[in-house]
Structure formats: C-alpha cells, structure tokens
Amino acid sequence: MTAVLLATTCAVVYGTADFFGGLATRRSRVLAVVLLTQLTGLVFVLPLTPLLPGVITPAALAWGMAAGLAGGAGVILFYRALADGVMSVVAPTTATTSAALPVVSGLLMGERPEPLALGGVALALLAVILVSRTPGTVGKVRLRPVLQALASGIGFGAFFVLLKQVPADAGVWPLFGSRLMSVLLVVVLALATHRTLRPGKGSLPVIVAAGILDMAANVLFLLAAQRGMLVLVSVLASLYPASTLLLARYVLGERLNPVQATGVALALGAVTLIAGA
C-alpha cells in the first residue's frame, strides 16, 4: 500500500510539474525551460541528502546517470516530435510506450502481481492512452515524428526501469547523477544548435516551481520503486497526464473532451484496483 500511495502521489506531482512546465514554454524556448528545470532539480536534491541519507557508490551514480541520459533524451525527442508531427498522434504514442516498457520489463524480471492488480495495470494503460488524446490537425501522418515519439517513450520508460535498478541504500544520490547527466546533455545540445538558454521575461518563478516539483516526483518514484513492483509503480506514475488535464481544466478553464474525461475516470479506477490487490 505504501508503494501505491507513493507512486500515485508521484503521478500527481509529475502532472503538476508538467503543468508549470507547459506554462513556462509559453514564455521561453523549450531548451531554456528544460535546462533551468533540470538545474533547479539538481540544486533541490542536495538538501535532501541528509533527510534521505545513502551511500555514494559508483553503481548508484552510474544507474542514476544512465536514467538521466534516457530521460533527457526522451524530453528532447518528445518536443521535436511535437514540433514536426500531429499532437494527437505523438502524445499518446509517447505516453503508451513510456508506460508499457516498464510493465514489460518488470514482467520479464520475474514480477508477478496479483490478478486484480494486473487488471488495474491494463486499465491504467488504457487510461494513459485516453488522457493523452488531443484534437489534432487533419493531415498526413509522417513516419519521422512517429518514430521520434516511440523513441521518446522508450527514453521515459527506460528512466523508470533504470531507477528501479538503483541499490536500496543509495538514498537520493542516483537522482543527483541523473540530473547532472541531463543538464550536460541539454547544454551540449544547445551549444551544438546555437540555441539560447535565456528564459523569457517573468518565466523564471514558474520554471523553478516546475523544476522543484519534477525532482520531488522523482524522489517519490525512487521511494516507490524501492518498496513495490516496477510493473505497478511505473504504470501508476505514468498516469500523470490526468492531473495535468485537471489543473488545466480548473486553473486555465480548458475543457476536457469526452475521451480525456473517460481516461481520467479509468485512471481513478486503475488506482483503486491496484490499491485493493
């Protein structure tokens, strides 16, 4: 039950972080937002080390850095796919892949949830697809953005899988390694493409909030993964688009389409099934 609660809270915090990140990208370039949120997370995780103490080992840092590389690449590929493709195709493709990969990995590693929990996992995967659906532009679906979306989902899913491999006594040091690697990745990309990393006017507080929330969600996921099955905690964490949609609905006044509303309802049902198993 503790792992389910941590993973569900993680999804809410991830979704809130994405909401703030979305607001920030309306005022700043994407790479600037990504870099500054990653830097904020890097600074935020250091004061947590005394509260969640751990042993710094090469293995812990290596798993964290590998996760940061996968997650950072996933973010970059996701935004490129959104820029080049149809959002109603890109978003659910990425979300479904990122949710399914840890589930398959967990099953291959020998995890065997109860039948009721597996039903919740199936319901959650369907919920992820539905809440990620957005009205798209009518037109030809090109292969390249779809492949980018698949690669992005693999990156996000690999982030969850790699963090699950972290030694239990590592504390939050793997997340420090993760953020360090993702910061380096974005800086190298920005230098290679000559993109500005300066935030837009008035966007810094929103970016900092997004960075803190994103790192808090990472901590929650790490704690959940140490206490529960990857199959369960990863699919629960992947329900984060539901909280983003609800925030957009009640803060910005955006309307949920019927498909998304159904997805939110299924997400609540999935959490109930997994928690009751």
Side-chain angles (χ1 to χ4, degrees):
M1 179 61 73
T2 301
V4 171
L5 180 60
L6 287 168
T8 305
T9 306
C10 168
V12 174
V13 179
Y14 265 140
T16 307
D18 278 2
F19 175 75
F20 279 102
L23 293 179
T25 54
R26 296 182 178 183
R27 304 177 185 178
S28 302
R29 292 187 178 275
V30 169
L31 278 183
V33 174
V34 173
L35 175 65
L36 291 174
T37 53
Q38 302 299 298
L39 279 174
T40 300
L42 187 64
V43 173
F44 176 71
V45 76
L46 287 175
L48 295 179
T49 53
L51 301 176
L52 298 168
V55 181
I56 308 177
T57 63
L61 290 178
W63 284 118
M65 293 177 76
L69 184 61
V75 171
I76 294 167
L77 287 166
F78 180 62
Y79 281 120
R80 284 190 174 181
L82 287 177
D84 297 337
V86 179
M87 184 177 294
S88 59
V89 175
V90 169
T93 299
T94 298
T96 307
T97 307
S98 65
L101 179 63
V103 171
V104 173
S105 298
L107 292 174
L108 290 176
M109 287 187 291
E111 295 183 353
R112 295 294 180 265
E114 296 293 328
L116 186 62
L118 280 176
V121 168
L123 198 62
L125 290 173
L126 179 58
V128 169
I129 297 172
L130 296 181
V131 297
S132 302
R133 294 293 301 181
T134 54
T137 304
V138 177
K140 184 179 180 181
V141 177
R142 295 186 296 117
L143 180 60
R144 182 177 176 181
V146 173
L147 293 177
Q148 289 174 331
L150 284 170
S152 171
I154 291 172
F156 291 144
F159 177 82
F160 290 143
V161 174
L162 291 166
L163 280 186
K164 176 64 176 176
Q165 314 310 313
V166 167
D169 62 349
V172 294
W173 286 110
L175 295 178
F176 176 82
S178 171
R179 276 295 178 263
L180 184 63
M181 180 58 71
S182 57
V183 166
L184 291 174
L185 180 64
V186 176
V187 169
V188 169
L189 181 63
L191 291 175
T193 57
H194 306 288
R195 301 288 181 87
T196 179
L197 295 175
R198 180 178 299 177
K201 185 177 181 181
S203 64
L204 190 57
V206 181
I207 293 174
V208 169
I212 291 174
L213 288 168
D214 184 63
M215 178 52 74
N218 288 338
V219 172
L220 288 168
F221 178 80
L222 185 61
L223 294 174
Q226 291 172 347
R227 290 162 173 78
M229 296 184 189
L230 178 64
V231 171
L232 302 182
V233 298
S234 63
V235 79
L236 288 174
S238 297
L239 292 172
Y240 64 87
S243 57
T244 306
L245 286 176
L246 292 175
L247 281 170
R249 168 68 179 87
Y250 291 106
V251 176
L252 301 179
E254 296 181 3
R255 292 187 177 183
L256 299 182
N257 63 51
V259 173
Q260 291 173 323
T262 302
V264 172
L266 291 181
L268 295 175
V271 173
T272 302
L273 286 177
I274 293 173

